[in-house]
């Protein structure tokens, strides 16, 4: 299963590193390898979040995630998106932006870095909303119960997460967005208006895409309940899964499409910090795209691996740790509007939270296992009597 899931990633890694060696020599190969590791370390929590959504989709949409989704992630976000940003912010034609990216690496880096406040505000607000909606949702399993249970009660106020996100955005626009250092350290500029507009854009994008996908998911659940009431939802889906035929059909329709779209927007939000942070290592657009693209492939494969292995069901706190990592990343993105934050710190925060939630899940499973063994022993003693 490991080779079947990660086979494409291994193959693309070998081909990508070989290509880097041919085009740019040993130095280019090393840069591409470092960028790949950077992307994986920054986006491990992304794989956990993606897996939580992807497991709701059927096999067809999972394949779409690994094919069309990879094209969007690698070529769209790592190659095309920075060029679009350069074209918009510098008011250049698309062809001129491509020329700058290829021929004038220093100017290209400066333009992308100059657009970072808007990128960080958009991505930060989108990720912050994911985190807030998670911690304000009432759930049976809690990781940090002393914190999550009171917050879930507050979450009964429907607009609370939006209000908090808007307050955070206003604070960011009036603090870290003022006196933003210019690229190269020559003076400062006020980016308050830009941050405010971009942040509102991120918030609106989350509400629209997330709201539409939730609408179709809830409608699907209502249809399944109606089928259960009429006795037509008891036919299991092919392949022995727990889903019914009606679930599979629903997940291949509009609900699946908007979940897929929501998944892609989340993935794009996670890629923002990697794309901008990559300029600390290289300002060559093709080295960046190749290195981050290889890393993105592993994140995709890891997402599918987590789904097929049922890891999120076995280690129930992983999603909690990943969402806390998202919250931390959202705050870090907003801070980086003005201040430099090392990619090492960003990556370590996510890794530590994921590792802590994984270990808590292991401890929980052991405790439940021991309790189960004890119950079985008691049952055997009782039946023996």
């Amino acid at each position: 299963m490991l080779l079947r899931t990660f086979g494409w990633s291994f193959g693309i890694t070998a081909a990508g590193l070989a290509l880097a060696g041919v085009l740019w020599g040993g130095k280019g190969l090393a840069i591409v390898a470092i960028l790949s590791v950077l992307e994986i370390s920054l986006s491990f929590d992304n794989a956990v979040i993606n897996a939580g959504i992807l497991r709701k989709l059927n096999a067809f949409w999972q394949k779409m995630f690994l094919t069309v989704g990879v094209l969007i992630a690698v070529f769209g976000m790592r190659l095309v998106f920075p060029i679009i940003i350069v074209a918009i912010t510098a008011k250049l034609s698309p062809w001129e932006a491509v020329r700058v990216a290829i021929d004038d690496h220093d100017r290209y880096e400066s333009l992308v870095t100059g657009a970072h406040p808007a990128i960080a505000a958009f991505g930060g607000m989108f990720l912050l909303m994911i985190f807030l909606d998670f911690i304000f949702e009432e759930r049976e399993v809690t990781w940090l119960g002393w914190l999550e249970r009171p917050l879930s009660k507050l979450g009964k106020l429907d607009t609370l997460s939006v209000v908090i996100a808007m307050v955070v955005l206003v604070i960011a626009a009036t603090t870290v967005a003022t006196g933003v250092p210019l690229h190269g350290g020559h003076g400062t500029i006020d980016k308050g208006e830009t941050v405010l507009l971009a942040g509102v854009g991120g918030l609106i994008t989350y509400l629209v895409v997330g709201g539409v996908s939730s609408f179709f998911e809830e409608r699907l659940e209502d249809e399944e309940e109606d089928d259960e009431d009429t006795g037509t939802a008891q036919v299991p889906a092919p392949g022995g899964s727990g889903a019914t035929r009606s679930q599979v059909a629903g997940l291949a329709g509009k609900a699946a499409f908007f979940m897929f779209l929501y998944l892609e927007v989340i993935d794009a939000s996670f890629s923002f910090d990697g794309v901008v942070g990559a300029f600390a290592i290289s300002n060559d657009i093709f080295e960046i795209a190749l290195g981050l693209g290889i890393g993105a492939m592993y994140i995709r494969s890891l997402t599918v691996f987590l789904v097929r292995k049922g890891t999120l069901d076995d280690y129930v706190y992983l999603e909690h740790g990943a969402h806390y990592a998202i919250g931390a990343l959202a705050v870090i993105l907003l801070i980086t509007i003005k201040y430099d934050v090392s990619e090492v710190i960003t990556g370590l925060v996510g890794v530590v939270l994921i590792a802590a939630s994984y270990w808590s899940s292991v401890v929980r499973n052991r405790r439940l296992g021991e309790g189960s063994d004890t119950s079985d022993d008691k049952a055997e003693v009782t039946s023996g009597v």
Side-chain angles (χ1 to χ4, degrees), residues 313-335:
D313 294 325
D314 295 335
Y315 303 96
V316 295
Y317 298 140
L318 272 179
E319 282 192 273
H320 296 74
H323 278 89
Y324 282 109
I326 281 183
L329 177 58
V331 173
I332 290 173
L333 275 173
L334 295 176
I335 292 174

Side-chain angles (χ1 to χ4, degrees), residues 319-349:
E319 282 192 273
H320 296 74
H323 278 89
Y324 282 109
I326 281 183
L329 177 58
V331 173
I332 290 173
L333 275 173
L334 295 176
I335 292 174
T336 59
I337 291 172
K338 186 173 184 178
Y339 304 102
D340 289 331
V341 178
S342 172
E343 288 76 20
V344 174
I345 295 176
T346 305
L348 282 178
V349 168

Side-chain angles (χ1 to χ4, degrees), residues 224 227-228 231-249:
E224 290 166 3
D227 289 341
E228 289 177 0
T232 60
Q234 304 302 320
V235 182
S241 69
T244 63
R245 291 184 187 274
S246 62
Q247 287 174 308
V248 173

